[in-house]
Amino acid sequence: MSNLKEVAKKANVSITTVSRVINGSDKVNPKTSERVKKVMTMLDYQPNRVAQRLRTANGRSKLLGLIIPDIKNQFYSNIVRGIEDVAYGNDYAVILCNSDENPNKERFYLEVLKSESVDGIILPPILQFGEEIENIIKTGIPIICFDRKLGNKNVDTVVIDNEMGGYIATSHLIDKGHKQIAILTSSILFSSFSERQKGYERALKENGIEVDKRLIREGDPRSSDNAKLMTTKLINLDNPPTAIFATNNLMTLGAIEAINEQNLKIPEEISIIGFDDVSWAKAITPPLTVVKQPAYEMGLKAAELFFRKVEDKSSEPVEIVMEPSLIIRQSTASPPK
Amino acid sequence: MSNLKEVAKKANVSITTVSRVINGSDKVNPKTSERVKKVMTMLDYQPNRVAQRLRTANGRSKLLGLIIPDIKNQFYSNIVRGIEDVAYGNDYAVILCNSDENPNKERFYLEVLKSESVDGIILPPILQFGEEIENIIKTGIPIICFDRKLGNKNVDTVVIDNEMGGYIATSHLIDKGHKQIAILTSSILFSSFSERQKGYERALKENGIEVDKRLIREGDPRSSDNAKLMTTKLINLDNPPTAIFATNNLMTLGAIEAINEQNLKIPEEISIIGFDDVSWAKAITPPLTVVKQPAYEMGLKAAELFFRKVEDKSSEPVEIVMEPSLIIRQSTASPPK
DNA sequence: GTGAAAGCGCTAACAG
DNA sequence: CTGTTAGCGCTTTCAC
């Protein structure tokens, strides 16, 4: 791989001049610049980004760090696309890290990203990570949070209104006449799930329906098998729910599997509403009613916040709240008599 | 962020010694090493990977470059997981690049990866890229191909036996009694699809069924909408197919949507077999018969080849061919009378 | 408009 | 076992 020195030699200038040409300094004679550029293409020269980064203390690495909990979750892969599209448009590459919600992995990747001196990190925070993230912020690397909020920390954030999502879903079911509505949700560690649950409970209360603890099931949101198990148990309850609200797409999948396995007809015998408008939602029979999160758009916004921060480190952190929307298909109907 | 110098000062040793401790050299007095380590944790010191990389010409960046065509495709996200799991186990981070099968994007990412001096690149080659990849290989960066083959080039490769996949799928349909079997496939640019098609044609021929050009439809494999359109057209043919073989999961989705929209019953009125055992395949009704690609395992293998090459650059390239398998569910049955 | 020289943080001879 | 020193490829004063 050729370097500055070679180019300089071949173009009969100093390496400084070549550097100036690379960085588009205007203090270079157009003719010289022309000559240098020609040599650069001739030698197929590409500046060494590693060296560039080492030299310039807060130079741009043109690298965006992205930590996501689960690449296999369509919700996240949509977000990745949104971020990636904006990044590519800005000549940035994305270092994607799959954290699995595993604190050790997350810590490892955070270290890597820091020491790769990426220009910023986009991630969905976990509660336990106040400290690590605090440290990153101290180093001056911009942090953008998405999907979940980082407690009271003062960082750029894009979330959807999860409480509203839960409320919309539950209200829809109530409107259809359901009173026994189960929810498949996750531990309170993830703010997004607890907020969906909050919305669920508010909808029930506002409609004079008592919150029934038996119908609230918490499990690993990354495991459809777990959701399947929970659903099977729900179905076999003495006084089973007539509708199920699954708070993410993997749980929805598990719920549907369980319902099919128990030979219950959707929506005649049981209604189901999912979270996330996944690709297969409208292909299944009956098509799935869902609360749609604008995942791709969320990725877009997060990336935009990232570049805003990169441009101007002193910009005030903002919190963007996006609206979920209800997409009514045929998996929800009135409860059986 | 603290650096070698600070640590050295605080521990009363030279920076060399600190460096040795970092790199686990055995020529350090255990006591000194202990002291240095203590200072390192005290100062929360992390070696600067950028500087490390710059210094050591072919030192390890502990970065693995991964280019994939479409992160939203479950087949690829499964592969990513396989690769990521092995990488993490080896303390490597993955730079994930989404190429969209866009030559410009791919070129851009290849440049970035090269100039980030990643330790190797894993990618599914596109035909047009003989040259670019040739260049990379010349620089000594190991390349691992997956999913598709890179012409006659001499690189490590992991593929599945796509011809066999196409053959298995089609044979299954023929066994059920189908004679009018349509295939949703993609342009010959992608070797994987053309091979599946080859298997399809071989199965037909071996069973004395003539290949009917009308039933072979080519389209963008990343667009389920396109597949939906193609399927609709197939259904509305004068002499429509009694079974459809969709050669990837997005096309399968589109086909199912079209069939549902036309109110055809699966499998009574039309059979469908998909490629890739996606998460929702067994949740839909009827559950989908598919040819399963061992995607996750393919990622695992690709990553293993990567590390093998990183350990020993002179190792002879190998080609691993994995076997697809037929998973029979209820979306395929005998053709209507 | 251009160049010489210093140095980013680190590793690797080489010397002791 | 430990330290001194050169230099990876680049950007950035500071001179001219």
Side-chain angles (χ1 to χ4, degrees):
Chain A
M1 217 130 85
S2 50
N3 58 17
L4 261 196
K5 219 165 150 186
E6 286 181 48
V7 176
K9 200 169 165 187
K10 205 130 196 154
N12 255 314
V13 290
S14 74
I15 57 168
T16 313
T17 303
V18 180
S19 172
R20 286 200 183 101
V21 173
I22 292 167
N23 296 290
S25 162
D26 46 0
K27 297 176 182 177
V28 176
N29 187 317
K31 276 180 190 161
T32 319
S33 170
E34 209 49 55
R35 200 171 69 238
V36 171
K37 275 180 188 156
K38 210 179 278 174
V39 175
M40 292 200 314
T41 49
M42 214 178 75
L43 261 53
D44 192 30
Y45 169 76
Q46 290 287 133
N48 181 321
R49 292 163 55 112
V50 175
Q52 279 181 321
R53 234 179 314 161
L54 179 60
R55 190 53 184 69
T56 47
N58 33 353
R60 304 280 175 78
S61 64
K62 296 247 181 188
L63 243 29
L64 184 167
L66 175 58
I67 296 183
I68 59 163
D70 184 9
I71 186 73
K72 285 161 76 177
N73 184 326
Q74 282 191 42
F75 170 63
Y76 290 114
S77 56
N78 276 325
I79 290 181
V80 172
R81 277 310 303 263
I83 292 172
E84 211 255 358
D85 282 353
V86 177
Y88 178 70
N90 285 274
D91 276 353
Y92 268 63
V94 175
I95 300 192
L96 179 78
C97 309
N98 197 285
S99 76
D100 256 337
E101 310 276 16
N102 173 339
N104 290 329
K105 261 180 128 166
E106 186 148 342
R107 216 168 277 133
F108 167 74
Y109 283 130
L110 242 23
E111 284 303 345
V112 172
L113 293 177
K114 202 168 71 180
S115 83
E116 284 297 334
S117 53
V118 296
D119 290 348
I121 300 175
I122 302 183
L123 49 67
I126 347 187
L127 270 187
Q128 305 105 311
F129 277 92
E131 196 187 331
E132 271 82 359
I133 294 196
E134 202 72 60
N135 279 336
I136 302 262
I137 295 175
K138 253 184 239 156
T139 68
I141 300 179
I143 296 268
I144 314 290
C145 293
F146 72 89
D147 192 29
R148 311 198 270 254
K149 292 181 192 174
L150 182 61
N152 50 355
K153 306 302 187 300
N154 207 24
V155 294
D156 284 291
T157 306
V158 191
V159 287
I160 72 141
D161 189 338
N162 283 300
E163 203 271 349
M164 188 186 183
Y167 183 80
I168 293 177
T170 313
S171 298
H172 169 66
L173 258 12
I174 294 172
D175 287 351
K176 289 279 182 189
H178 293 272
K179 293 197 179 337
Q180 313 250 45
I181 303 171
I183 182 172
L184 264 31
T185 181
S186 179
S187 112
I188 48 161
L189 272 180
F190 306 114
S191 66
S192 46
F193 289 98
S194 58
E195 279 170 20
R196 283 166 209 169
Q197 186 177 337
K198 231 182 268 172
Y200 158 85
E201 294 183 6
R202 179 163 68 90
L204 292 181
K205 281 175 196 156
E206 284 186 9
N207 287 277
I209 303 174
E210 209 173 325
V211 175
D212 184 347
K213 291 273 183 222
R214 292 178 318 136
L215 301 183
I216 299 177
R217 302 286 164 135
E218 287 182 5
D220 185 345
R222 287 161 309 156
S223 158
S224 53
D225 283 343
N226 183 257
K228 186 175 171 184
L229 203 71
M230 296 197 291
T231 306
T232 307
K233 281 185 187 160
L234 280 170
I235 294 175
N236 290 318
L237 241 37
D238 271 349
N239 194 0
T242 58
I244 294 179
F245 168 32
T247 58
N248 88 347
N249 66 67
L250 291 180
M251 292 180 139
T252 308
L253 200 58
I256 293 175
E257 280 183 52
I259 293 171
N260 285 343
E261 207 171 273
Q262 303 283 316
N263 280 315
L264 251 45
K265 270 237 166 308
I266 303 174
E268 293 83 356
E269 299 178 282
I270 191 164
S271 285
I272 177 150
I273 182 166
F275 220 85
D276 299 340
D277 190 23
V278 283
S279 60
W280 46 268
K282 53 183 190 299
I284 66 174
T285 38
L288 189 69
T289 297
V290 295
V291 173
K292 173 179 177 158
Q293 303 195 65
Y296 179 81
E297 291 74 15
M298 199 156 132
L300 246 37
K301 280 272 175 262
E304 281 165 15
L305 285 184
F306 172 91
F307 285 108
R308 173 174 154 276
K309 202 75 176 190
V310 168
E311 295 306 326
D312 174 17
K313 294 228 177 190
S314 63
S315 60
E316 275 303 305
V318 296
E319 179 179 319
I320 297 180
V321 179
M322 307 189 78
E323 303 250 311
S325 53
L326 182 66
I327 299 184
I328 301 177
R329 298 205 181 95
Q330 285 86 57
S331 71
T332 45
S334 300
K337 295 286 151 344
Chain B
M1 215 131 89
S2 50
N3 58 17
L4 262 196
K5 219 165 148 185
E6 285 180 47
V7 176
K9 201 169 162 188
K10 204 130 198 156
N12 256 314
V13 290
S14 74
I15 56 169
T16 313
T17 304
V18 181
S19 173
R20 286 201 184 100
V21 172
I22 292 168
N23 296 291
S25 165
D26 45 359
K27 299 178 181 175
V28 177
N29 186 316
K31 276 181 190 160
T32 318
S33 171
E34 210 48 57
R35 201 171 69 239
V36 171
K37 276 180 187 157
K38 209 179 278 174
V39 175
M40 292 200 313
T41 49
M42 214 178 75
L43 262 53
D44 192 29
Y45 170 76
Q46 290 289 131
N48 181 322
R49 293 163 56 110
V50 175
Q52 280 180 321
R53 230 176 319 159
L54 177 60
R55 190 55 185 70
T56 47
N58 30 353
R60 305 281 174 77
S61 64
K62 297 250 182 183
L63 244 29
L64 185 167
L66 173 59
I67 297 184
I68 58 164
D70 184 8
I71 186 72
K72 285 162 75 175
N73 184 327
Q74 283 191 40
F75 169 62
Y76 289 115
S77 55
N78 276 326
I79 291 181
V80 172
R81 278 309 303 264
I83 292 173
E84 212 255 357
D85 282 354
V86 177
Y88 178 70
N90 285 273
D91 276 353
Y92 268 63
V94 174
I95 301 192
L96 178 78
C97 309
N98 196 285
S99 76
D100 255 338
E101 309 277 17
N102 173 341
N104 290 329
K105 263 181 128 166
E106 187 149 341
R107 216 169 277 133
F108 167 73
Y109 283 129
L110 242 23
E111 283 302 344
V112 171
L113 258 21
K114 203 168 70 180
S115 82
E116 284 297 335
S117 54
V118 295
D119 290 347
I121 300 175
I122 302 183
L123 49 66
I126 349 188
L127 271 186
Q128 306 104 311
F129 277 93
E131 196 187 332
E132 271 81 359
I133 294 196
E134 202 73 61
N135 280 335
I136 302 261
I137 294 174
K138 252 183 242 159
T139 68
I141 300 179
I143 296 270
I144 314 289
C145 293
F146 72 90
D147 191 32
R148 312 199 270 254
K149 292 181 192 173
L150 183 61
N152 49 356
K153 306 304 186 299
N154 206 25
V155 293
D156 284 291
T157 306
V158 191
V159 287
I160 72 142
D161 190 339
N162 283 300
E163 203 271 348
M164 187 186 184
Y167 183 80
I168 292 176
T170 313
S171 298
H172 169 67
L173 258 13
I174 295 172
D175 286 350
K176 288 280 180 188
H178 291 273
K179 292 196 177 339
Q180 312 250 44
I181 302 170
I183 182 171
L184 264 30
T185 181
S186 179
S187 114
I188 48 162
L189 272 181
F190 305 114
S191 67
S192 46
F193 289 98
S194 58
E195 278 169 21
R196 283 166 209 170
Q197 185 177 339
K198 233 182 264 169
Y200 157 85
E201 294 183 5
R202 180 163 68 89
L204 291 181
K205 280 175 195 155
E206 284 186 8
N207 286 278
I209 302 174
E210 207 173 327
V211 175
D212 184 348
K213 293 270 181 224
R214 292 177 320 135
L215 301 183
I216 299 177
R217 301 287 164 134
E218 287 182 5
D220 185 345
R222 288 161 307 156
S223 159
S224 53
D225 283 343
N226 183 259
K228 185 174 172 184
L229 203 70
M230 295 196 294
T231 306
T232 306
K233 281 186 187 158
L234 280 169
I235 294 174
N236 290 316
L237 242 37
D238 271 351
N239 193 1
T242 58
I244 294 179
F245 168 32
T247 57
N248 87 347
N249 66 66
L250 292 181
M251 291 178 141
T252 308
L253 199 58
I256 293 175
E257 279 183 55
I259 293 171
N260 285 342
E261 205 171 275
Q262 303 284 316
N263 280 314
L264 252 45
K265 271 237 165 310
I266 303 173
E268 293 81 359
E269 298 179 283
I270 191 163
S271 286
I272 176 149
I273 184 165
F275 220 84
D276 299 339
D277 190 24
V278 283
S279 60
W280 46 268
K282 56 183 188 299
I284 66 174
T285 39
L288 190 69
T289 296
V290 295
V291 173
K292 172 179 177 157
Q293 303 194 68
Y296 179 81
E297 292 75 14
M298 198 157 134
L300 246 38
K301 279 271 175 264
E304 281 165 15
L305 286 184
F306 172 92
F307 285 109
R308 173 175 155 277
K309 201 77 176 187
V310 168
E311 295 307 327
D312 174 18
K313 294 229 177 191
S314 64
S315 60
E316 275 303 305
V318 297
E319 180 177 319
I320 297 179
V321 179
M322 308 190 76
E323 303 250 312
S325 53
L326 182 66
I327 298 183
I328 301 178
R329 298 203 182 95
Q330 285 85 59
S331 71
T332 46
S334 300
K337 295 285 152 351

